[in-house]
Amino acid sequence: MQTPIISPSILSADFADLEKSFKMLNQSEADWIHLDVMDGNFVPNISFGMPVIKSLRKLTGKVFDAHLMIEQPERYIHNFKLVGVDILTVHYETQIHLNRTVDLIKKIGMKAGVALNPHTPVSLLKDIITELDLVLIMSVNPGYSGQKFIEHTYQKIVETKDLIEVTGSKAMIEVDGGVNNENAPKLFAAGADILVAASYIFNHDNPLKAIRNLKYF
Ligand code: DX5
Ligand code: ZN
């Protein structure tokens, strides 16, 4: 049976006890761990950065999927590699030289992703899609967990899937924001390979079960 990759975002975890959350994640069927880095400029919120990721790296062997919601992310690519990030995703809206940034991420030895805000059209990726490992479709406006899912996302997933097929790209499609047990099956059917979720998992009475709900519907 084909199942989505589940990448829990720790943004809704208890920051005073991340070790406990990582014990849960290690026991869970989560495939990756989604790390939301925010700078208070590109998005209104500030979350955490390299020192925190470096400490968390000691707690798990799972893939670190970092989502940079920061301006000029190209300044920090080496640093994220050094603290153990495996997949580095930058926002399209922050980039003048996206091709150079993607090249650098891959040269340094990470997988490269590009994230699109809800209003940014998929067609803007036409000339770079074959170089990407991942496209992250934002299904809320980035900055906070616990927001309402934007329905237009399904359409964008289908458009991304089409672009990938037409160009022969190997990019995977990740969806982030407002993902829960109700929309997960529809997102997977539309073509999403990876589902990110924070509040659905960490606010659930049983986070292990919540992760299973997203993976096996
Ligand atoms: C939003 C972040 C998301 C967020 C998702 O800016 O990129 O990863 O943590 O949170 P939920 O799943 O609660 O919408
Ligand atoms: Zn995210």
Side-chain angles (χ1 to χ4, degrees), residues 88-184:
L88 196 66
T89 295
V90 300
H91 262 266
Y92 181 89
E93 302 81 12
T94 65
Q95 291 296 296
I96 298 172
H97 302 293
L98 181 59
N99 185 281
R100 181 181 288 153
T101 302
V102 165
D103 251 13
L104 188 58
I105 294 173
K106 295 200 293 189
K107 252 187 215 127
I108 290 175
M110 293 178 286
K111 302 255 189 227
V114 172
L116 300 179
N117 274 340
H119 74 274
T120 305
V122 171
S123 57
L124 290 172
L125 296 180
K126 182 171 82 61
D127 293 334
I128 196 149
I129 190 78
T130 54
E131 287 156 64
L132 301 182
D133 297 303
L134 184 148
V135 176
L136 193 172
I137 310 283
M138 285 307 301
S139 38
V140 297
N141 288 296
Y144 303 95
S145 56
Q147 301 182 84
K148 190 174 174 295
F149 177 83
I150 297 172
E151 295 290 322
H152 180 61
T153 305
Y154 297 111
Q155 167 77 29
K156 286 182 82 168
I157 295 171
V158 171
E159 285 172 22
T160 311
K161 188 96 190 155
D162 285 351
L163 183 60
I164 286 170
E165 274 171 18
V166 167
T167 56
S169 162
K170 302 259 186 306
M172 300 175 90
I173 303 175
E174 181 170 42
V175 180
D176 184 7
V179 173
N180 57 35
N181 59 325
E182 280 167 26
N183 55 29

Side-chain angles (χ1 to χ4, degrees), residues 9 34-36 67 69 136 138 176 196:
S9 156
H34 186 83
L35 302 166
D36 287 303
H67 174 195
M69 285 160 276
L136 193 172
M138 285 307 301
D176 184 7
V196 175

Side-chain angles (χ1 to χ4, degrees), residues 6-21:
I6 306 301
S7 190
S9 156
I10 60 166
L11 200 59
S12 293
D14 177 3
F15 280 11
D17 199 353
L18 284 173
E19 193 164 5
K20 183 168 160 226
S21 297

